[in-house]
Amino acid sequence: MFGYFVTALAGIFWLFRVVVTMMFTSETAFPVQPINMTFEVILLFVTFACIVLIAKRNMIGAIIYLLAHCAYFGVDIYQNVNQGTINALSLLVSLVGIIIPFLAFANIGLSSGKKSTGKNKKTDWFYGNEDYDRKFDERADTNQYKL
């Protein structure tokens, strides 16, 4: 359930970044602006592919998503903190841009260790032993009766 929530948050944040990019290109006043327009467009395409991979529970998609967003939004966080004049809205968007990929990475990473082995402890005591296996003798019908 948490995986669906993180994927939905990633999709909503992606749509928000699309709106920010569209507003910037149409030269409309918007409180949030892209840091680097060229990298923003590339990041939008990479993020879309990564969200699809995250929805399929692929760890490579989560790693690429985390690295791309840390490279883009991490620079903005570093510059905001280093300059001393902190733009609170830009810092908040950048923090969200780092937290969502980390949550996706952690969710897929933590749930990948829970793979099913195909065994059921409740029924293996009966069905998992050799006494239950069907034993054939020489009188058994081995015809396959195909038409």
Side-chain angles (χ1 to χ4, degrees), residues 14-137:
W14 181 79
L15 286 173
F16 172 71
R17 295 309 297 178
V18 168
V19 168
V20 167
T21 305
M22 296 289 285
M23 291 295 205
F24 184 77
T25 56
S26 66
E27 298 176 358
T28 306
F30 199 70
V32 180
Q33 293 183 353
I35 303 162
N36 181 353
M37 189 59 187
T38 306
F39 196 66
E40 178 84 24
V41 172
I42 294 169
L43 185 69
L44 287 174
F45 285 109
V46 169
T47 300
F48 182 75
C50 288
I51 289 173
V52 170
L53 290 173
I54 288 170
K56 292 182 176 183
R57 311 294 295 162
N58 191 333
M59 188 61 154
I60 298 296
I63 291 171
I64 293 171
Y65 185 51
L66 179 64
L67 291 176
H69 276 250
C70 283
Y72 185 70
F73 292 112
V75 171
D76 187 45
I77 291 172
Y78 179 75
Q79 287 176 351
N80 270 334
V81 171
N82 241 5
Q83 289 177 352
T85 57
I86 296 176
N87 184 357
L89 188 59
S90 175
L91 186 63
L92 178 69
V93 169
S94 295
L95 284 173
V96 170
I98 298 285
I99 290 171
I100 292 174
F102 179 74
L103 289 176
F105 174 75
N107 182 34
I108 293 174
L110 291 175
S111 68
S112 65
K114 299 178 185 176
K115 298 283 182 188
S116 175
T117 59
K119 298 197 178 238
N120 187 352
K121 292 181 182 178
K122 293 181 181 178
T123 58
D124 277 350
W125 66 271
F126 182 75
Y127 296 110
N129 59 18
E130 288 89 28
D131 293 339
Y132 183 75
D133 292 340
R134 179 181 267 184
K135 296 191 177 29
F136 289 104
D137 61 358

